[in-house]
Amino acid sequence: MDEMIRIAAISAMGDTDHADRAFEVMSPGRVNLIGDHIDYSGGLVLPMALDRGTRAVVVPRTDRTLRGFSANFPSLGVVAADLDRTEYDPSHGWFSYVLGVVHTALERGHDIPHGFDIYLDGNIPKGGGLSSSASVEMAAAMALEHMFDLGLTATQWAVLAKDAENKYVGVACGIMDQLSIARGRAGHAILMDCESLDCDFVPMPVQDFSVLVASTNYPRQLADSAYNDRRLAVETARRIMGEHRGETVTHLVDVTLEELAAAAGPLDEAGVASFARHTVTEQARVEAAAEALRARDLARFGRLMRESHDSLRDDFQVTGRHLDALAAAAWATPGVIGARMTGAGFGGCSVNLIAKGAEDAATTEIAARYEDAVGIRPEFFLVNPADGAHLIPDH
Ligand code: GLA
């Protein structure tokens, strides 16, 4: 273990006993290359785990206390709870993402016989669309599996963590974030089927391009309620399409554009036609993008990224002025193969593919264009596709 992080952890926690039993977990963030707002409609998405994320030092305890300290929220200090009282409490702040996983595991009958101390240090911007919360959840999940041998697979932990986020934290997210963080593979994007949870790994020709994440540096506004509204709209569209077909539609992504056109009346009346259209066209774009990536047809991949952004702006209405300006800045910049918003939207980040060698010039130009448009300096992170959450071997 990195001695610095061990010392930081031990001193932040104060009286940590059994520090010699400490172990370390790396849990990445994720960026989605294409396929947004269709994971909860059973769609295909193409994310990758990042070589940035959350490092956790975990020290098993002998009593039933759970304690956490995050270097990213030092003002909260050490947050504590008890294994026998893990109910949601907003004053726990970031620690709720750990407690939610513990609480959900206990609720499902998993045996967690003693508590632990967990020290976190993350290097992904919080609330920026790179899934810092799912990264913390999966760090907790890996720690629980390591300490208690609960026998869950990475995919099962991802599902448990997603359920924790839905029911404990109260955000109606889909499975994409937790599953990409659980299943990531270095050098690969993940073609993820959000219905079957199957993951196909598509090699990323990283010798040809760099993945550049750009943050709008614009705080997300009412993102959770807007997200939940979109989910409701999609659910309404699914129901309407079921009535139209005369049989249940399980997943809106399975509907065709022709069927949508035939049901335009009721979809329009309910105000959900454009949300349904995005869902159906985005699914087709992900299929085409995975094919393009396999064929190393980057120009095509880039065009699909742009079409995806347009659809998220015009049909799904989740981009907003800042993300639109950031994407437009990239589209106008030489060396940019493709650019689009990524994740939930409403602020947050864009993802950009940049031709090898053009990174510095492109970053400077995108920053200047974006700042000109909205008066805010963006922030950039060059990222690589990395492995999913794992234990860091001791050395
Ligand atoms: C958030 C959610 C995901 C997914 C994306 C949009 O990141 O957590 O489940 O819905 O938004 O694609």
Side-chain angles (χ1 to χ4, degrees), residues 113-186:
H114 59 77
F116 56 90
D117 290 345
I118 184 165
Y119 169 91
L120 299 185
D121 194 354
N123 63 356
I124 34 181
K126 41 188 184 260
L130 301 183
S131 291
S132 52
S133 48
S135 174
V136 171
E137 288 161 2
M138 290 311 298
M142 287 302 98
L144 291 178
E145 183 59 43
H146 179 66
M147 280 183 287
F148 306 121
D149 286 327
L150 300 178
L152 273 69
T153 63
T155 299
Q156 288 168 329
W157 275 116
V159 171
L160 189 148
K162 176 217 169 239
D163 291 347
E165 178 128 0
N166 291 163
K167 299 200 188 96
Y168 188 89
V169 185
V171 178
C173 67
I175 189 66
M176 173 171 74
D177 303 349
Q178 289 82 5
L179 194 57
S180 39
I181 290 167
R183 300 286 311 274
R185 185 179 291 178

Side-chain angles (χ1 to χ4, degrees), residues 221-231 318 346:
Q221 314 278 325
L222 296 174
D224 289 353
S225 61
Y227 184 92
N228 291 346
D229 287 351
R230 294 303 181 284
R231 284 210 62 163
V318 290
F346 320 105

Side-chain angles (χ1 to χ4, degrees), residues 11-29:
S11 62
M13 294 295 189
D15 61 342
T16 290
D17 292 331
H18 311 299
D20 52 321
R21 291 201 281 157
F23 63 94
E24 204 181 334
V25 172
M26 171 65 198
S27 182

Side-chain angles (χ1 to χ4, degrees), residues 134-358:
S135 174
V136 171
E137 288 161 2
M138 290 311 298
M142 287 302 98
L144 291 178
E145 183 59 43
H146 179 66
M147 280 183 287
F148 306 121
D149 286 327
L150 300 178
L152 273 69
T153 63
T155 299
Q156 288 168 329
W157 275 116
V159 171
L160 189 148
K162 176 217 169 239
D163 291 347
E165 178 128 0
N166 291 163
K167 299 200 188 96
Y168 188 89
V169 185
V171 178
C173 67
I175 189 66
M176 173 171 74
D177 303 349
Q178 289 82 5
L179 194 57
S180 39
I181 290 167
R183 300 286 311 274
R185 185 179 291 178
H188 293 76
I190 312 165
L191 179 60
M192 179 187 292
D193 181 329
C194 297
E195 154 64 9
S196 66
L197 307 188
D198 284 347
C199 292
D200 236 1
F201 295 94
V202 186
M204 290 275 278
V206 281
Q207 64 282 9
D208 299 339
F209 61 76
S210 294
V211 182
L212 177 74
V213 169
S215 166
T216 55
N217 270 344
Y218 178 72
R220 291 199 287 177
Q221 314 278 325
L222 296 174
D224 289 353
S225 61
Y227 184 92
N228 291 346
D229 287 351
R230 294 303 181 284
R231 284 210 62 163
L232 279 179
V234 164
E235 178 52 26
T236 304
R238 187 189 66 77
R239 229 190 28 247
I240 291 173
M241 293 315 296
E243 282 158 18
H244 183 77
R245 263 194 194 174
E247 67 181 40
T248 308
V249 168
T250 312
H251 295 303
L252 192 58
V253 291
D254 298 332
V255 163
T256 63
L257 280 178
E258 291 69 34
E259 283 180 285
L260 289 186
L267 289 172
D268 274 337
E269 208 167 296
V272 297
S274 72
F275 301 113
R277 188 163 55 235
H278 167 76
T279 305
V280 172
T281 57
E282 186 77 345
Q283 173 83 346
R285 280 186 290 272
V286 176
E287 283 167 6
E291 222 178 81
L293 194 57
R294 286 205 168 98
R296 297 203 178 178
D297 185 347
L298 297 185
R300 180 159 182 236
F301 195 93
R303 278 197 304 277
L304 289 159
M305 289 176 82
R306 182 169 182 157
E307 286 168 24
S308 167
H309 185 95
D310 289 345
S311 176
L312 286 155
R313 180 192 60 219
D314 301 335
D315 278 350
F316 218 71
Q317 300 160 35
V318 290
T319 55
R321 187 164 82 90
H322 296 82
L323 276 171
D324 287 342
L326 195 52
W331 295 333
T333 296
V336 175
I337 299 164
R340 61 183 286 280
M341 62 148 271
T342 186
F346 320 105
C349 291
S350 69
V351 57
N352 306 265
L353 299 195
I354 314 283
K356 265 279 165 323

